[in-house]
Amino acid sequence: MSYKNILLMGKSGSGKSSMRNMIFSNYSAIDTRRLGATIDVERTQIRLLNNLNLSLMDCGGQDSYMLNYIKAGSTKLNNAELLIYVFDIEGTQPKDFEIFNLILNTLKNLSPRCKIFLLVHKMDLVNEEEREKVFLDFYVGVKSSSNLKFFLDQNNVQCAQTSIWDESLYKAWSQIVGSLIPETQALQKHLKNLGNIVSAEFIMIFETSTFLKIATHPNSLPKDEQADLDSITQRVSGIIKNYKKSVEKISARFRSLTLYANSKSIYLDNLTDNMVIMIVIPDSKIEKDINKSTTVKISEEKYVQDVIKRARKTFEKLDFSGKK
Amino acid sequence: MSYSDEDESLQYNSSGSNHNNDAATVILMGRRRSGKSSILEAVFHKMKPWESVYIESTAKPEVLNVASLININLMELPGQIDYVDPEYDNSQMFRQTGAIIYVIDAQDEYYGAVRNLIRVVEKAYMENPNIRVEVLVHKIDGLSEEFRDDTVRDIKDRTSEMLYDGGLESFAGIDFYQTSIYDQSIYEVLSKIISRLIPELPSLEHLLDNFVQHSAIEKAFICDLKSKLYFVTDSSPLDSKIYEVCAELIDLSIDLDSLLGGNHDDDSSSLEGSITEGAITDGESTPKQKRLRCVSKLSSGIKLYLHEVLKDLCLIAFIRDDGIGADDSATLAVLDYNAAIFRKGLERIFHDRL
């Protein structure tokens, strides 16, 4: 089985392992206090979706380790698909940029096609009004690293601000995972069909173990709400993750949820072994649509469950391995 | 700031609360920085626990009114002022109080706090022999597991010793709890304390027991949607973990509702064709808004059922299916039906207030 190598790097104490454990091991932000420093490299194998296999290498960030990775003969940076580099917004010194630059230099030779994701972390320490500016200033600073230009030219660099205390973490990691899924057009097409069948306002698909967003489809969402779609999806990720976590305390697993809210119905259900779907339907819209043609009254809940059941087969066939 | 200033503000607040005279008063006391304000902020204002470190020290008594199944005035007294000072007229204060919640910081030196607690108990008991004193050994999350029980036991022993010395050994209305705002413990303990003050508690419990028996439910709660506190639960033993999951379901329902649930002020148009309410209302009591209803299925046959029976008050049921005759839609239909009956019962008990 082939794995995509993902490097998680950054200076010691910048928050790499905290992130990793929150995203992949269901830690809550407060739990990360327990984590100690990562020694050398911690390798985690992650299977997302059907056949997207990732090998995440959490690289200890002490200077001595960092210099070790770029020593001649070290194979750590070989065949990397993606480098996630974490900067601590408060504690980054000029020396750390130098190391970053050295890493990039080695990476350029060993994995020239590597994508780079820069996370400017611990943004919660910055005053809320100044965040955007501080972040941009920092990014400009990072961009000046001479070896980043090589990757920038290939359009392979992305940058995001994160904090483990709000949904920005999920946003950034959704982007990261999204960049690894090669074909989303097929997925989008299916979502659109599904959206029309159930008269949905909004559909969203999550990955089961991390609850990161894989795809969304704003079927009939009002324009002004579409603008906040990103922030809505991130917050939904966070909310459901919390619930999922507490459910595990009574040694059960999340299966499905139906919520009748003020004027919408919200359905959450397993779509495949690796995907959870959320469908938001405006009130009584579907009732009118489905009961128009038939004389037999069907409840919305039954109908949606049935549609999801039928959709499963289609979605199970989707291939995310990136093989052509 | 002089004492007279404080006195006035206290006077002002208590006279302010005279508007709802039937409200029970709960006094929240403890030394400064023991975590009183944090508790109120976390439970009633949804403040994230880690944000509570920024709370300013409370300078004057503050009253928080909680009006739901029971009308409660939660009065927070700042820790730096000695309210049991003989010069200070506090007789009135204790006489109207149903319970005192005394917060002790478990991470701090607590002998002083225990001494202060004893003086409060002495004074309060003198004014109101029926008063309950609930001691929260707070910030327990900072202690390692093995020290938690020891700390509480030590505080308990010291307190009973000193109560004995003060000739108060007969005072039985004191209880000790471990709490932290980083988990559900504070919600659970506050729920217990508040539910004791509900005069209709026995009838409510009976009502809930009835509901549980007829719907094959393992555990049921009546919760406040805003604070997640439960006011009543059925008489079977409580498993904290089950309450925790139920509280989490409230969070989820509320959050998803506010995020995606649509316009909340729109109360007329959402009425027609509302499939969920249509089935269970009988026409006489037309709800202004469609109420929340949530069903979540978990592995091993567990189902969670949440139904907003009155405004901001929900019924939550924890169901564990044994697999026999487990027809989901039938189970839910029975639940919905019974929940509607339950609501009528609730309305009958509180007809004058709701």
Side-chain angles (χ1 to χ4, degrees):
Chain A
M1 201 181 287
S2 68
Y3 284 93
K4 293 187 172 188
N5 285 332
I6 297 176
L7 296 162
L8 181 57
M9 299 183 105
K11 155 187 169 163
S12 178
S14 57
K16 301 177 291 300
S17 302
S18 300
M19 280 189 191
R20 175 176 59 110
N21 283 304
M22 277 185 72
I23 300 291
F24 298 106
S25 309
N26 259 324
Y27 275 48
S28 70
I30 210 84
D31 293 337
T32 61
R33 288 191 297 194
R34 298 200 297 251
L35 294 167
T38 306
I39 307 297
D40 202 25
V41 177
E42 270 178 33
R43 201 184 280 262
T44 331
Q45 245 113 54
I46 297 154
R47 194 178 153 174
L48 293 179
L49 304 174
N50 254 347
N51 32 27
L52 186 64
N53 292 301
L54 308 176
S55 171
L56 182 72
M57 290 187 276
D58 185 355
C59 305
Q62 278 90 342
D63 293 351
S64 58
Y65 293 136
M66 296 289 258
L67 295 173
N68 218 350
Y69 305 140
I70 51 177
K71 247 192 218 150
S74 167
T75 55
K76 292 269 159 38
L77 302 181
N78 273 1
N79 293 326
E81 182 88 14
L82 174 71
L83 166 71
I84 303 164
Y85 206 95
V86 184
F87 289 101
D88 176 350
I89 187 68
E90 295 244 294
T92 306
Q93 286 142 11
K95 182 191 72 185
D96 303 319
F97 287 114
E98 273 167 42
I99 292 179
F100 172 60
N101 214 9
L102 288 173
I103 297 263
L104 289 181
N105 190 33
T106 315
L107 194 70
K108 195 161 74 178
N109 297 323
L110 295 176
S111 318
R113 312 288 303 158
C114 185
K115 287 180 204 138
I116 296 183
F117 227 103
L118 305 169
L119 299 182
V120 185
H121 196 43
K122 305 196 187 175
M123 286 305 281
D124 52 293
L125 297 174
V126 181
N127 209 332
E128 210 163 343
E129 298 91 64
E130 293 163 22
R131 259 176 222 173
E132 204 56 43
K133 189 181 173 302
V134 170
F135 168 67
L136 287 174
D137 286 353
F138 192 91
Y139 186 41
V140 169
V142 178
K143 260 187 178 165
S144 65
S145 306
S146 54
N147 287 321
L148 191 64
K149 193 171 177 305
F150 174 80
F151 295 97
L152 278 168
D153 288 345
Q154 299 181 51
N155 224 352
N156 270 346
V157 181
Q158 277 178 285
C159 189
Q161 46 174 317
T162 52
S163 157
I164 56 171
W165 302 104
D166 59 32
E167 64 268 10
S168 61
L169 182 76
Y170 301 111
K171 184 177 172 188
W173 279 86
S174 293
Q175 261 174 292
I176 292 173
V177 170
S179 75
L180 292 167
I181 302 172
E183 291 290 320
T184 47
Q185 285 103 320
L187 191 66
Q188 284 292 346
K189 201 186 87 202
H190 290 313
L191 277 189
K192 196 174 167 204
N193 282 340
L194 195 63
N196 288 333
I197 293 170
V198 294
S199 323
E201 177 177 278
F202 171 50
I203 298 191
M204 178 169 168
I205 290 187
F206 307 93
E207 198 279 324
T208 309
S209 59
T210 58
F211 263 99
L212 291 175
K213 173 200 88 176
I214 293 170
T216 54
H217 180 66
N219 203 38
S220 62
L221 203 64
K223 278 277 175 295
D224 53 322
E225 283 182 43
Q226 283 195 24
D228 320 321
L229 197 63
D230 248 8
S231 114
I232 292 177
T233 52
Q234 307 326 326
R235 284 182 55 198
V236 172
S237 277
I239 292 166
I240 299 169
K241 230 180 136 125
N242 273 344
Y243 178 62
K244 187 183 157 222
K245 216 184 123 187
S246 78
V247 157
E248 277 163 9
K249 285 186 192 151
I250 53 165
S251 47
R253 279 193 319 281
F254 173 77
R255 280 276 159 78
S256 73
L257 183 119
T258 312
L259 174 71
Y260 298 102
N262 193 25
S263 61
K264 310 270 172 70
S265 311
I266 300 167
Y267 297 88
L268 270 150
D269 207 340
N270 284 334
L271 188 59
T272 69
D273 289 346
N274 311 289
M275 287 190 259
V276 174
I277 191 167
M278 184 180 84
I279 304 178
V280 181
I281 301 173
D283 223 11
S284 65
K285 175 116 170 62
I286 196 169
E287 294 260 300
K288 281 179 205 140
D289 288 355
I290 52 176
N291 289 330
K292 202 161 44 186
S293 48
T294 57
T295 43
V296 189
K297 285 235 172 229
I298 313 169
S299 82
E300 177 186 282
E301 192 174 350
K302 271 251 157 58
Y303 182 72
V304 173
Q305 280 166 355
D306 202 43
V307 169
I308 293 177
K309 212 157 119 193
R310 281 156 197 260
R312 277 187 187 130
K313 281 197 194 86
T314 318
F315 281 88
E316 265 158 15
K317 279 188 210 134
L318 287 172
D319 182 21
F320 295 103
S321 62
K323 280 178 239 136
K324 288 275 142 67
Chain B
M1 201 175 286
S2 68
Y3 266 121
S4 61
D5 270 342
E6 286 304 323
D7 209 347
E8 266 171 32
S9 61
L10 180 64
Q11 217 47 52
Y12 167 75
N13 271 328
S14 53
S15 67
S17 64
N18 276 347
H19 289 301
N20 30 22
N21 249 335
D22 55 335
T25 304
V26 174
I27 298 182
L28 190 62
M29 303 180 83
R31 314 211 93 185
R32 56 186 298 268
R33 309 226 49 86
S34 57
K36 303 175 292 299
S37 305
S38 303
I39 291 176
L40 294 184
E41 287 296 329
V43 174
F44 295 101
H45 298 130
K46 299 243 165 227
M47 180 182 268
K48 299 265 181 289
W50 50 84
E51 283 167 2
S52 66
V53 286
Y54 303 118
I55 295 179
E56 296 278 322
S57 156
T58 309
K60 56 176 199 211
E62 276 173 27
V63 177
L64 180 82
N65 182 260
V66 182
S68 190
L69 266 195
I70 178 170
N71 196 348
I72 294 174
N73 285 326
L74 266 167
M75 181 156 41
E76 181 192 352
L77 301 182
Q80 53 269 48
I81 297 155
D82 189 3
Y83 285 93
V84 282
D85 196 296
E87 290 170 31
Y88 195 83
D89 179 26
N90 45 29
S91 48
Q92 197 62 20
M93 184 171 84
F94 288 130
R95 240 172 259 157
Q96 294 170 342
T97 298
I100 295 174
I101 300 175
Y102 195 92
V103 185
I104 295 179
D105 182 351
Q107 297 180 30
D108 202 7
E109 180 277 319
Y110 49 74
Y111 303 151
V114 171
R115 270 196 299 278
N116 184 250
L117 166 68
I118 299 298
R119 294 177 55 213
V120 170
V121 172
E122 279 170 352
K123 186 80 188 179
Y125 182 69
M126 210 165 73
E127 298 297 340
N128 179 0
N130 293 322
I131 205 162
R132 289 204 53 86
V133 179
E134 321 276 2
V135 183
L136 308 191
V137 182
H138 194 51
K139 306 189 195 175
I140 201 83
D141 54 288
L143 302 183
S144 61
E145 300 270 346
E146 56 264 39
F147 287 119
R148 291 182 186 174
D149 288 342
D150 287 348
T151 307
V152 177
R153 197 174 312 121
D154 191 37
I155 291 176
K156 219 169 162 172
D157 288 350
R158 262 163 216 285
T159 311
S160 49
E161 227 166 76
M162 288 169 83
L163 280 178
Y164 186 82
D165 291 346
L168 271 172
E169 70 274 16
S170 60
F171 180 62
I174 187 162
D175 268 316
F176 296 81
Y177 309 89
Q178 302 181 19
T179 56
S180 158
I181 51 170
Y182 287 97
D183 56 31
Q184 301 291 339
S185 60
I186 188 65
Y187 293 91
E188 205 181 315
V189 169
L190 276 186
S191 298
K192 272 186 198 152
I193 293 171
I194 289 178
S195 68
R196 277 189 185 145
L197 299 172
I198 301 176
E200 299 89 349
L201 188 66
S203 357
L204 288 171
E205 230 176 66
H206 183 71
L207 199 63
L208 209 53
D209 277 343
N210 236 327
F211 173 65
V212 165
Q213 272 165 26
H214 289 94
S215 322
I217 291 167
E218 184 167 319
K219 191 76 191 158
F221 301 92
I222 302 176
C223 289
D224 180 29
L225 274 175
K226 282 184 189 147
S227 61
K228 295 193 286 178
L229 296 178
Y230 71 84
F231 293 127
V232 192
T233 179
D234 64 295
S235 48
S236 68
L238 171 69
D239 177 353
S240 303
K241 282 185 185 148
I242 289 181
Y243 169 62
E244 194 176 332
V245 176
C246 292
E248 206 64 52
L249 185 73
I250 298 181
D251 266 345
L252 172 110
S253 308
I254 296 282
D255 289 350
L256 279 186
D257 180 41
S258 64
L259 207 57
L260 301 162
N263 188 4
H264 283 247
D265 311 316
D266 180 16
D267 45 8
S268 55
S269 61
S270 66
L271 252 176
E272 36 176 347
S274 94
I275 36 164
T276 52
E277 277 300 320
I280 49 169
T281 43
D282 44 1
E284 55 161 274
S285 58
T286 38
K288 283 252 160 54
Q289 266 197 346
K290 191 172 150 188
R291 290 184 165 127
L292 276 182
R293 175 172 168 269
C294 183
V295 181
S296 177
K297 289 176 195 159
L298 309 177
S299 61
S300 50
I302 295 170
K303 278 193 220 51
L304 289 162
Y305 175 87
L306 179 152
H307 198 134
E308 189 179 0
V309 282
L310 297 169
K311 179 137 180 56
D312 291 330
L313 201 71
C314 69
L315 177 67
I316 297 190
F318 183 92
I319 304 148
R320 213 191 289 263
D321 254 329
D322 42 13
I324 308 161
D327 178 5
D328 283 351
S329 51
T331 321
L332 288 177
V334 170
L335 267 175
D336 279 340
Y337 183 76
N338 285 344
I341 293 178
F342 179 82
R343 188 178 69 202
K344 271 187 219 152
L346 210 58
E347 275 167 354
R348 208 174 298 158
I349 294 177
F350 290 98
H351 62 93
D352 49 340
R353 216 188 296 162
L354 297 162

